[in-house]
Amino acid sequence: AAGVTTGSPVLRSDWPVYGGFPQQVHLSYAGSASEMMVTWSTMNQTDSVVEYGEDGLNNTAKGSCVVFRDGGEEHRVQYIHRVKLTGLTPGHKYMYHCGSMEGGWSDLYTFNAMKDGTTWSPSFAAFGDMGNDNAQSLSRLQEDTQRGQYDFILHVGDFAYDM
């Protein structure tokens, strides 16, 4: 089953936030059991780099970013980064972080590459509308994921607030 290590750096409200720090890091299937897509956002334009490997950050993959301007009153600009990891061994566990030397790096995360073949059946969760006022699903999903209960999680929408 998949293992995702989650975490966030502790930020004090009186510290300035640098816009190059990776935020909203997530993974998605890239079309092959030997590939994984890493996506994140930053508030400043930076390089799109992922360092990853099974026994350390021995591999480097580079990708691209696009500008996203939200439709809200503030018209905030974000840079959405996407990097495809290739050459993964199906079913093996990898560690990674994303970001860049000039913008900073994310926390260290782990994932299991998708299994290959027809002799396995994936375990997954599907959910939507995490809830802004009575959010109860996120902590349960985090705990279940950290215990290795899911191969993937499908989020079906309604996850944007205060745009």
Side-chain angles (χ1 to χ4, degrees):
V4 178
T5 303
T6 60
S8 297
V10 176
L11 295 177
R12 292 181 15 190
S13 62
D14 58 335
W15 288 352
V17 175
Y18 176 69
F21 188 80
Q23 302 174 45
Q24 304 175 36
V25 179
H26 60 279
L27 299 174
S28 56
Y29 180 63
S32 165
S34 64
E35 299 176 337
M36 186 69 74
M37 186 69 71
V38 183
T39 305
W40 70 95
S41 69
T42 59
M43 302 310 282
N44 291 349
Q45 187 169 6
T46 62
D47 290 338
S48 303
V49 180
V50 175
E51 296 178 335
Y52 67 102
E54 290 186 72
D55 298 312
L57 304 175
N58 305 321
N59 303 301
T60 301
K62 296 183 178 182
S64 61
C65 76
V66 296
V67 177
F68 171 79
R69 183 179 306 275
D70 75 39
E73 292 179 13
E74 295 181 27
H75 300 288
R76 289 180 280 197
V77 172
Q78 293 184 51
Y79 296 87
I80 310 301
H81 302 262
R82 292 173 50 90
V83 175
K84 184 187 285 188
L85 309 184
T86 60
L88 305 175
T89 303
H92 284 220
K93 186 174 186 175
Y94 290 86
M95 65 180 70
Y96 75 99
H97 68 178
C98 59
S100 65
M101 290 301 293
E102 79 268 30
W105 296 98
S106 71
D107 287 345
L108 188 63
Y109 299 101
T110 64
F111 69 91
N112 289 339
M114 183 74 74
K115 295 176 185 173
D116 202 8
T118 58
T119 59
W120 72 284
S121 179
S123 173
F124 73 96
F127 75 103
D129 193 358
M130 293 170 37
N132 197 24
D133 294 324
N134 189 17
Q136 296 184 22
S137 62
L138 186 58
S139 61
R140 291 183 174 112
L141 285 168
Q142 285 175 321
E143 183 175 1
D144 290 349
T145 299
Q146 290 169 348
R147 292 179 183 202
Q149 292 185 2
Y150 305 121
D151 291 304
F152 68 93
I153 298 174
L154 176 63
H155 193 299
V156 296
D158 197 4
F159 54 89
Y161 300 97
D162 292 331
M163 293 189 77

